Amino acid sequence: MIRRGIGYLIVVWLGATANFLLPRLLPGSPVEFLVGEESNRLSATQRTAVLTQFGLDRPLSEQYRSYLSGLIRLDLGSSVAYGKPVLKLIAERLPWTLLLVGSSIVLALFLGFLLASVFHWAESKRTSSALMSAVIFTGSLPPFWVGMVAIAFFAVTLHWLPSYGAGIGGSVLRHAILPIATLTLGYIPSVFLVARAALEDALGEGYVALARSHGAGPARVLLRQAGPVAALPLLNQFAMSFGVLLGGTVIVETVFAYPGLGLLLYDGILALDFPLVQGVFLLLVVTVVLANIFAELAQRKLDPRLRA
Amino acid sequence: MRPSLIAGITLCLCLALTGRAAPLRVSIAYEVGNLTPYTPALPETLLDLVYDKLVAPSPYLGNAKPWLATSIVPEGSDGRTWRIGLRDGVRWHDGKPFTSDDVVFTLRYYRDGTPNRWTHHVSETPKLTTIEPIDRLSLRISCAGPCPLFDRVTAADLVILPKHLWQSVKKPNLYRGPLIGTGPYRVKELAPGRYLRLQANHDYFGGVPRVDDIIISFIRNPSTAFAALSAGELDLVAAPVLPELTASLSRRPGLALVHDDNGGVNAVEMRLNFDRPPMSDPAFRRALAMAISPAEIVQRVLLGQGTTGPYPAPASPWTKPGIRQLGDDRATAAKLFRAMGKLPHLSLKVSSNEPLHQRAAEVVVHQLKEAGLDVSVENVDPARSRALSVTRQFDLLIADVTPHNLADPDQLMESVLYGYLWRYGVSYPALEALVRDWHAASTPQARIEAGFALQELHSKAPVTLILYYPRARYAYRPAAYDHWRVTPGMGVFNKWSLLESSAQ
């Protein structure tokens, strides 16, 4: 367990280092964003005056040391684009993204698993093929297109739901419905494919045949015998995709003007906002590591073979 | 009767009597993280809602009138010294009186402190050497060289900050103090990533704003913004209507369009990197200009909703009348290219988040191909596009060009000196003589004429080609507010749309 913990710490350190270096490999400097085209005419002293505010005038090695020591103190520096502490910015935006991502993961896991069960339950090959085609088709739709169609239909035509934002003074849930639905639609196919394969494996096991021979019906077999076993790969799927989904909300948040982390990251990249970009990416790294630890612990709990 | 019912009826009556209506809902295409002159990429129109300048509305049309100032008059005949008189009775939003100390502080802070987008107009062109108060409501400034357009250009460029809040600020980009100006609106709430709420300043010296409460939402995707307007969730989209949406939005019940009849001072340009061959050759730049047909771009990209024109903006009084941009002569361009022998393949950089620019790029490549020049489009992300533009790592590049570059006579000199139109130090004797003339010009007319000469020289071997001037249209909901008017270079969502006409 200790070795495993050290491994995770090394992963976080490598991730933090990559987050520090990669944004700095992009062409340009934050000065161009802060001062615009006029940055061409700045003297070296003036450029330094701009960068000093963010500690970006120091040599790279010094910036790196400061970054690592800041991590220990939970000080991620100040954002170039927003002029605020990065940690505060993340704290302002994270809840919105967690609402979207958390809800869509739960919904997609439930619906994906349900559809995979229907796939195996269906007697007719035509039904399973139709289901498979429909799910693959849904997964291939670009999220920005799904989002815009949802806005055109549910907001502009039917006036049922708001088209953008997170609401002003309430109605937070109503504003979240379309973004959550768009994210969920995009996530269902991957859950479905994993659940379908896992169920197929589980349904071929001897203990399932034994249960069937004792008179267990299809529902009982799925829910009590094959379901829990098939849930294990889904846990891995969840751990692998949580970070991807967290970072991948950029498009959905842009389409719905939703004030989440994805949009913040997008703005940070456009502004060459090194402190902000490295802060958000670090959060993604830590989230993926934590999700993996959670999945590992849950698997140990659920699968007696791993405890042995 | 139940107490809650009585309270409800009372509230309704109060609202009806005071005339308070629902907030005006406006969307802008960028996020406002803060609202100071040091907030990056913040348009000055939004800044102008909270702060004021000495003269207004802008430096672009030569029509700036005293605003915070009551007079700006030259002293002496060398065009270097100005005496500025200020309005009496103006107060900052926190109630403190506005005085000459605030103006002196602001000009010194811009000149000596951390640079921002505007500071070069007091630290460089022109360079202010003396900034001193005379009394509570007047001050004197002097420039290192003649600054004959200070009253109409420089004074119209810079918003004034409150000394009592900013004097101890050492890191202006990190300022998180109160957002206090003298302008027509106070900042009521800034919800991160969501909206900015402004409340009318009822003590405003320019008159009480027509709208009491404005909620400004941040919607980057124009399709979402126009969908929200169509769905009745917004009253104005402050970004221009996309050409392909104009017809459908104009037919939609409850919506109307307002457009700019005065001719624009915003454009889309193609820059030619004069640091790289063959663009460093004036003959090549002339031939390339001849190969371009902007009228075709206006038709194909803007669906006819724009005009063609030269650099700088023809609508600006600072632009030489009758100046033309070479173009529409592909046959001659082809001959000239052939005479130059084998020309290298060129790359045309365009930002990946600008669909209109990308369409324009495809038309340009087609036109250049017909003239015999091999060019390909390279899409780059917006951050890289900005970096390549500033560091001049491109052959050809399509970008927006702002009123600041198209219609500001002082900026013309900055452009010539620091890389936009030329870079001082790269040999160009004819240009160097004109730059000296420009700096020596001590009367407004002499300075304007010197600017005309620079523009004329540029037009002969241009390093920027204007592809089009969009005829911007703005969509709004007249039932919510019907006094929108376009101010050139400032769009529709600006303080002049929200004040009584007499204020301007």
Side-chain angles (χ1 to χ4, degrees):
Chain A
M1 201 66 185
I2 291 171
R3 270 179 54 191
R4 185 75 74 165
I6 292 170
Y8 281 129
L9 276 178
I10 291 172
V11 168
V12 171
W13 171 70
L14 285 173
T17 304
N19 296 338
F20 174 83
L21 290 173
L22 288 177
R24 285 167 172 79
L25 293 178
L26 293 168
S29 138
V31 178
E32 285 132 28
F33 178 73
L34 287 165
V35 188
E37 193 83 26
E38 321 309 331
S39 58
N40 265 336
R41 56 159 300 283
L42 297 184
S43 64
T45 316
Q46 287 175 315
R47 288 184 81 88
T48 304
V50 175
L51 292 172
T52 301
Q53 301 175 95
F54 307 94
L56 297 173
D57 58 317
R58 291 174 288 173
L60 201 62
S61 58
E62 207 177 306
Q63 285 184 46
Y64 182 61
R65 274 200 302 276
S66 166
Y67 167 61
L68 289 184
S69 64
L71 290 186
I72 295 163
R73 290 178 276 113
L74 281 182
D75 176 6
L76 300 177
S78 290
S79 156
V80 170
Y82 294 88
K84 266 185 183 180
V86 170
L87 200 64
K88 190 174 180 198
L89 276 169
I90 290 176
E92 285 168 355
R93 305 299 182 89
L94 187 60
W96 298 107
T97 296
L98 283 181
L99 174 66
L100 294 194
V101 172
S103 309
S104 57
I105 283 181
V106 170
L107 279 171
L109 284 174
F110 173 73
L111 293 172
F113 195 83
L114 188 71
L115 288 173
S117 304
V118 170
F119 180 88
H120 284 290
W121 212 334
E123 300 277 324
S124 147
K125 191 160 177 133
R126 192 176 291 175
T127 309
S128 346
S129 302
L131 187 61
M132 176 67 98
S133 307
V135 170
I136 299 291
F137 174 74
T138 309
S140 65
L141 296 174
F144 68 86
W145 186 83
V146 174
M148 286 314 304
V149 169
I151 288 172
F153 190 64
F154 292 105
V156 180
T157 307
L158 298 175
H159 295 280
W160 285 358
L161 292 166
S163 59
Y164 77 95
I168 296 166
S171 66
V172 168
L173 280 179
R174 281 191 74 229
H175 281 80
I177 290 175
L178 288 182
I180 288 174
T182 306
L183 270 179
T184 305
L185 267 184
Y187 189 41
I188 282 177
S190 57
V191 175
F192 168 80
L193 291 174
V194 172
R196 185 190 66 93
L199 277 176
E200 197 165 302
D201 288 348
L203 288 169
E205 293 287 341
Y207 58 85
V208 172
L210 185 67
R212 278 184 177 139
S213 69
H214 281 85
R220 188 182 166 83
V221 165
L222 271 172
L223 291 175
R224 300 292 297 275
Q225 310 293 330
V229 177
L232 292 174
L234 281 179
L235 270 175
N236 278 332
Q237 163 91 357
F238 158 76
M240 296 289 284
S241 56
F242 192 74
V244 176
L245 259 183
L246 209 59
T249 54
V250 179
I251 291 169
V252 170
E253 287 179 4
T254 306
V255 168
F256 291 99
Y258 206 78
L261 214 54
L263 217 47
L264 188 70
L265 178 61
Y266 176 73
D267 281 347
I269 291 170
L270 290 193
L272 291 181
D273 189 343
F274 302 150
L276 179 58
V277 171
Q278 66 203 21
V280 176
F281 275 134
L282 180 71
L283 176 78
L284 296 182
V285 170
V286 171
T287 307
V288 170
V289 167
L290 288 178
N292 272 285
I293 292 172
F294 167 76
E296 200 172 320
L297 293 175
Q299 277 191 332
R300 280 173 186 275
K301 185 90 178 161
L302 290 172
D303 191 343
R305 290 169 299 181
L306 293 174
R307 288 200 297 270
Chain B
M1 200 180 281
R2 291 167 59 180
S4 58
L5 188 59
I6 294 170
I9 292 169
T10 311
L11 180 66
C12 289
L13 277 173
C14 286
L15 287 176
L17 287 173
T18 55
R20 274 180 63 185
L24 190 71
R25 302 159 303 171
V26 177
S27 81
I28 54 177
Y30 42 86
E31 181 173 339
V32 176
N34 203 358
L35 199 68
T36 82
Y38 290 87
T39 306
L42 185 73
E44 57 190 292
T45 47
L46 206 55
L47 210 55
D48 281 349
L49 293 176
V50 176
Y51 303 88
D52 282 303
K53 298 167 181 169
L54 293 172
V55 300
S58 79
Y60 309 132
L61 296 184
N63 59 351
K65 300 280 189 304
W67 195 243
L68 271 176
T70 50
S71 63
I72 303 182
V73 290
E75 289 188 337
S77 57
D78 60 359
R80 293 176 186 232
T81 306
W82 295 82
R83 183 186 172 108
I84 304 168
L86 301 174
R87 267 181 203 262
D88 198 3
V90 176
R91 289 191 173 273
W92 295 99
H93 294 158
D94 57 4
K96 298 266 194 315
F98 161 78
T99 69
S100 59
D101 280 349
D102 295 305
V103 182
V104 168
F105 164 76
T106 303
L107 296 180
R108 287 179 181 166
Y109 194 76
Y110 286 158
R111 183 191 63 184
D112 305 329
T114 308
N116 68 24
R117 130 84 177 80
W118 288 276
T119 49
H120 59 284
H121 287 310
V122 286
S123 64
E124 177 83 29
T125 310
K127 181 174 185 176
L128 270 57
T129 47
T130 308
I131 307 163
E132 57 187 23
I134 298 171
D135 56 36
R136 190 174 66 85
L137 291 174
S138 57
L139 65 144
R140 179 178 290 112
I141 66 101
S142 298
C143 305
C147 49
L149 297 177
F150 179 87
D151 57 334
R152 284 190 281 166
V153 177
T154 314
D157 241 334
L158 309 158
V159 298
I160 304 301
L161 296 169
K163 181 184 176 186
H164 61 281
L165 291 173
W166 281 81
Q167 62 187 340
S168 58
V169 177
K170 299 281 183 265
K171 296 179 176 178
N173 286 104
L174 296 176
Y175 178 79
R176 300 307 304 180
L179 300 172
I180 299 292
T182 53
Y185 283 91
R186 303 164 194 270
V187 176
K188 186 178 179 186
E189 187 185 3
L190 180 49
R194 300 167 67 193
Y195 59 87
L196 166 70
R197 193 160 191 168
L198 299 177
Q199 189 77 44
N201 173 10
H202 291 272
D203 302 321
Y204 189 51
F205 63 83
V208 178
R210 292 175 194 257
V211 179
D212 205 46
D213 191 3
I214 305 176
I215 293 177
I216 302 164
S217 299
F218 316 138
I219 307 180
R220 289 163 182 76
N221 182 21
S223 301
T224 306
F226 290 113
L229 181 74
S230 303
E233 296 172 57
L234 288 173
D235 301 319
L236 168 77
V237 176
V241 174
L242 302 172
E244 59 269 30
L245 289 180
T246 306
S248 66
L249 284 174
S250 62
R251 285 195 303 267
R252 199 162 185 101
L255 296 186
L257 299 183
V258 58
H259 52 84
D260 181 4
D261 293 323
N262 303 313
V265 285
N266 287 82
V268 170
E269 65 177 348
M270 180 167 74
R271 296 178 62 187
L272 287 61
N273 188 350
F274 54 80
D275 282 331
R276 290 185 180 177
M279 283 74 64
S280 51
D281 177 1
F284 177 83
R285 296 203 299 273
R286 275 195 293 275
L288 196 144
M290 284 179 195
I292 303 294
S293 296
E296 186 190 358
I297 299 171
V298 168
Q299 284 306 318
R300 285 176 177 265
V301 177
L302 296 184
L303 310 177
Q305 297 165 37
T307 55
T308 61
Y311 170 90
S316 165
W318 313 118
T319 298
K320 182 180 167 108
I323 200 165
R324 287 186 66 245
Q325 177 170 290
L326 292 168
D328 300 311
D329 191 357
R330 224 162 287 158
T332 308
K335 267 189 218 163
L336 291 169
F337 284 144
R338 274 198 300 276
M340 289 174 199
K342 186 169 168 52
L343 290 167
H345 169 87
L346 298 177
S347 153
L348 171 56
K349 303 268 194 309
V350 60
S351 178
S352 57
N353 70 342
E354 294 283 1
L356 292 183
H357 295 189
Q358 289 170 20
R359 285 179 225 166
E362 294 299 338
V363 180
V364 165
V365 165
H366 181 72
Q367 291 177 349
L368 293 176
K369 190 176 177 186
E370 281 189 354
L373 197 62
D374 182 21
V375 179
S376 60
V377 177
E378 190 181 338
N379 280 296
V380 294
D381 68 83
R384 187 155 174 250
S385 175
R386 187 180 57 243
L388 296 177
S389 169
V390 172
T391 55
R392 308 189 53 73
Q393 294 175 55
F394 61 88
D395 296 330
L396 308 171
L397 180 139
I398 290 183
D400 282 318
V401 50
T402 60
H404 187 222
N405 272 331
L406 274 173
D408 184 324
D410 283 356
Q411 187 59 26
L412 175 70
M413 181 48 55
E414 290 276 309
S415 300
V416 164
L417 296 179
Y418 295 109
Y420 174 56
L421 295 182
W422 203 254
R423 197 174 52 256
Y424 213 65
V426 176
S427 177
Y428 198 165
L431 182 77
E432 284 155 21
L434 293 180
V435 167
R436 281 195 296 275
D437 292 347
W438 191 94
H439 280 298
S442 61
T443 65
Q445 194 52 40
R447 178 58 63 85
I448 291 169
E449 295 288 342
F452 287 173
L454 283 166
Q455 294 163 11
E456 182 74 39
L457 182 68
H458 171 263
S459 70
K460 288 178 181 161
V463 299
T464 179
L465 297 170
I466 300 299
L467 300 181
Y468 55 80
Y469 285 91
R471 192 177 295 129
R473 291 169 164 82
Y474 300 88
Y476 68 103
R477 190 167 293 284
Y481 187 69
D482 201 12
H483 297 282
W484 298 114
R485 53 184 166 172
V486 179
T487 303
M490 305 176 89
V492 69
F493 185 50
N494 59 65
K495 73 163 79 165
W496 313 108
S497 277
L498 295 159
L499 294 174
E500 296 292 340
S501 308
S502 55
Q504 198 173 4

